[in-house]
């Protein structure tokens, strides 16, 4: 039973469901929340919002890297000659870019832990850009599911 569980997990499935599709909602929501609470903390000059942004950024990056691993597993199941593979490469590449940028931002804050400073305007602009970019690249992920039916495999 444990062996079957591990085999299914190595194929990107958990209890018959695609793990990548289950996890991607967490970083998307947590990155948005992190950017939003940064805007609030910048506006109100209030550090508890900055700390909340930091914690949601940590959780979002953790879920994001785990989701990326399973996304790569799913990508490797797609035929290299198909249009879906090209869309998957763009989707995955862009999301790895956004995840890497967010990871760097959180990593820079980590050195000040437990005292998280208020974000600068440039950090807020980058986070808003990352969230906006993630919306676009997640649209491509939706195309993989609904147009190209990659999860039907």
């Amino acid at each position: 039973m444990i062996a079957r569980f591990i085999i299914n997990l190595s194929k990107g499935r958990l209890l018959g469901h695609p793990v990548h599709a289950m996890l991607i909602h967490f970083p998307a929501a947590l990155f948005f929340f992190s950017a939003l609470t940064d805007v609030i903390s910048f506006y109100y000059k209030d550090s508890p919002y900055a700390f909340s942004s930091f914690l949601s950024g940590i959780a979002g990056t953790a879920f994001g890297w785990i989701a990326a691993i399973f996304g790569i597993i799913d990508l490797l199941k797609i035929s290299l000659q198909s249009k879906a593979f090209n869309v998957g490469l763009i989707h995955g590449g862009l999301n790895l870019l956004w995840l890497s940028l967010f990871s760097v931002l959180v990593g820079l804050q980590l050195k000040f832990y437990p005292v998280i400073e208020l974000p600068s305007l440039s950090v807020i602009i980058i986070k808003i850009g990352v969230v906006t970019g993630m919306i676009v690249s997640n649209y491509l992920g939706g195309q993989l599911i609904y147009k190209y039916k990659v999860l039907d495999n």
Side-chain angles (χ1 to χ4, degrees), residues 102-113:
F102 224 94
S103 297
V104 168
L105 293 175
V106 169
L108 291 173
Q109 286 181 304
L110 189 59
K111 66 182 176 183
F112 298 110
Y113 180 82

Side-chain angles (χ1 to χ4, degrees), residues 48-126:
Y49 290 109
F51 193 75
S52 177
S53 170
F54 168 71
L55 292 178
S56 59
I58 291 275
T61 55
F63 276 108
W65 286 111
I66 296 167
I69 291 166
F70 287 102
I72 292 168
I73 291 170
D74 287 347
L75 179 65
L76 294 174
K77 295 178 192 174
I78 302 172
S79 169
L80 295 173
Q81 290 77 31
S82 69
K83 173 85 171 149
F85 186 80
N86 292 333
V87 172
L89 277 179
I90 295 168
H91 161 71
L94 286 173
N95 275 340
L96 282 175
L97 172 65
W98 310 137
L99 180 57
S100 296
L101 286 171
F102 224 94
S103 297
V104 168
L105 293 175
V106 169
L108 291 173
Q109 286 181 304
L110 189 59
K111 66 182 176 183
F112 298 110
Y113 180 82
V115 179
I116 303 302
E117 302 198 3
L118 295 175
S120 66
L121 185 57
S122 59
V123 166
I124 292 172
I125 290 170
I126 292 169

